[in-house]
Amino acid sequence: MVQYNDMVQALNELKQRGYGMDFSLLPDCLYCASKSLKLKPEDFTVVETHRFESLDSSPDNNTVIYVISSNDGKNKGVLVDAYGTYAAEMTHEMAKKLNAK
């Protein structure tokens, strides 16, 4: 797996690798607004994760990038999340899927 120096570099290179969709997290699925696409946990795979910690080690500034591919390979993108921000807002299935990597 590729190691990135910072989040901007990671997002730029992932886009070049074909992961151009931006996903947001809903309680029971991932959502891409530009395609009006919803992916349930059984519809996607987390291909890679990349974690970035702030220089001051503040947990409020830590970020993870989930690299996502739909199971049919037609939809690829990223979900950018602060560590633990949405933990209380998602279903058990979504939490399990995102924590598998």
Side-chain angles (χ1 to χ4, degrees), residues 3-27:
Q3 296 291 331
Y4 299 106
N5 294 324
D6 60 53
M7 194 171 74
V8 173
Q9 176 196 19
L11 292 171
N12 287 336
E13 289 188 23
L14 288 166
K15 188 174 228 176
Q16 289 176 353
R17 289 175 45 202
Y19 295 94
M21 297 173 69
D22 292 316
F23 289 103
S24 57
L25 185 61
L26 298 179

Side-chain angles (χ1 to χ4, degrees), residues 20-96:
M21 297 173 69
D22 292 316
F23 289 103
S24 57
L25 185 61
L26 298 179
D28 64 341
C29 66
L30 298 179
Y31 179 68
C32 178
S34 65
K35 290 197 172 193
S36 296
L37 174 71
K38 291 183 179 182
L39 295 176
K40 298 277 188 184
E42 62 271 13
D43 298 331
F44 71 89
T45 300
V46 177
V47 179
E48 303 171 15
T49 57
H50 301 280
R51 298 182 189 285
F52 300 93
E53 296 182 10
S54 67
L55 296 176
D56 64 0
S57 297
S58 170
D60 293 339
N61 296 326
N62 295 333
T63 305
V64 61
I65 298 173
Y66 296 96
V67 182
I68 306 293
S69 178
S70 62
N71 291 341
D72 62 10
K74 294 179 181 179
N75 301 288
K76 294 180 176 182
V78 295
L79 168 66
V80 179
D81 187 18
Y83 287 8
T85 298
Y86 301 106
E89 296 179 17
M90 70 177 109
T91 63
H92 172 74
E93 292 79 11
M94 281 298 294
K96 185 177 175 183

